[in-house]
Amino acid sequence: MKNLFFYGTLRCESLLRTVLGGDPDFRLVPAVLPGHGAFVAAGQRFPFLDPDPTLECSGLLAVGVDGDALERLIYYEGGFGYDLTQLSVQTEHGPEEAEVWMTPAGRFDRAAPFDLENWQARSGAIAVRAAGEVMQWRGRKTAGQVAQIYPMIEMRAASYVMGRAEDVPDAPSGLTRDDVQVAAHSYDYAEYFGVESYRFKFRHHDGSFSDEVNYASFGATDAALVLPYDPLRDRIMLVEQFRMGPWTRGDRVPWQLEPIAGRIDASETPETTAIREAREEAGLDLTGLELISRGYPTPGCSNEYFHVYLGLADLPDGIE
């Protein structure tokens, strides 16, 4: 049985419940850790604890954590390079010994002080969705293996959150997500991409429900596609690259001519990804960006979603 001090994202109630698989069976009490400050790691969205005798860090003391709850917390934190360190925290009833997840000295540089409300507004929903997938792998992947694929887990989570928030037209039938009854959900495979399975019933157009079915979806992410166009010279640019799909289909020529494309990082918008990918993939600094369309290229088997743009660019003779 341990006392744990939460100073960062685990203070978010919905994230903690997702990691634990339900409500905590231990007490949470306000506490302060003297001589330390919680900061966002430079270039990241997560916090770390930095020793500083001029500061103190507010958080929550989890009292009496053991059993499955402790194993779940250690698994969730285990792949991110945080180690438990014994420290003394202050509560309203006096000092208490607690263990705190710390990173090795000098691993991260400080950015802004960590603000839980700001983090929840910007990244909370994505982190909760990502934690749901992380915890699905407990017992099937090590914490280190999950950490290796966490960037894609986070991008898949960001796509899910973006999909839930996107204002899309109603279907002619009026049917929505509420007309699906889910019996079971599982993550069957995940490396760079993933596979999810569902058992569910969905409503027919006559109002009745289908029999229970078992469907799977190839788990990708949202992606931004850019077709560079020079309006003065009336020319476009395409990129030639090897693609796994044509290879596995048996295509004699698995190299494809395509627009510039890239997966949308969890911290990006589709537009910022389009601009970044144009620069990284083709060395182009776009002078304008026009939305062509948004949609699913293969909705029958994949959740991949494309944001397709026309990118205004200078494409002179001799450009490589």
Side-chain angles (χ1 to χ4, degrees), residues 84-217:
L84 283 171
T85 302
Q86 189 85 18
L87 294 171
S88 179
V89 301
Q90 292 289 333
T91 73
E92 62 177 2
H93 300 296
E96 293 277 359
E97 291 300 306
E99 295 190 41
V100 186
W101 273 288
M102 300 277 291
T103 56
R107 182 180 178 189
F108 298 120
D109 292 326
R110 292 182 184 182
F114 179 71
D115 182 283
L116 181 64
E117 289 187 4
N118 182 54
W119 173 84
Q120 287 178 309
R122 294 167 59 95
S123 305
I126 295 172
V128 171
R129 176 71 181 182
E133 180 174 343
V134 169
M135 299 311 296
Q136 285 268 348
W137 296 114
R138 181 171 168 247
R140 295 188 286 168
K141 291 180 181 289
T142 67
Q145 289 171 328
V146 171
Q148 289 180 337
I149 62 173
Y150 187 77
M152 283 301 294
I153 290 176
E154 192 176 41
M155 279 196 272
R156 286 195 287 273
S159 292
Y160 180 87
V161 171
M162 198 182 308
R164 292 303 301 262
E166 194 165 85
D167 185 16
V168 296
D170 289 339
S173 64
L175 297 174
T176 70
R177 192 177 189 89
D178 294 334
D179 294 292
V180 180
Q181 297 178 349
V182 177
H185 168 233
S186 65
Y187 290 92
D188 301 330
Y189 169 85
E191 291 298 335
Y192 186 77
F193 295 110
V195 176
E196 291 182 63
S197 290
Y198 284 86
R199 283 195 294 109
F200 55 72
K201 299 178 180 180
F202 56 88
R203 194 183 301 277
H204 292 305
H205 291 94
D206 64 5
S208 65
F209 274 90
S210 69
D211 294 334
E212 191 171 279
V213 294
N214 187 5
Y215 283 2
S217 173

Side-chain angles (χ1 to χ4, degrees), residues 217-229:
S217 173
F218 179 80
T221 70
D222 282 32
L225 283 67
V226 186
L227 181 65
Y229 173 62

Side-chain angles (χ1 to χ4, degrees), residues 288-307:
L289 203 60
E290 300 289 341
L291 179 67
I292 296 174
S293 66
R294 304 184 198 273
Y296 297 92
T298 52
C301 63
S302 175
N303 65 358
E304 190 170 43
Y305 190 83
F306 286 172
H307 305 255

Side-chain angles (χ1 to χ4, degrees), residues 40-42 44 46-48 50 80-82 103-110:
V40 177
Q44 307 293 336
F46 53 81
F48 75 106
D50 200 19
F80 298 117
Y82 291 74
T103 56
R107 182 180 178 189
F108 298 120
D109 292 326
R110 292 182 184 182

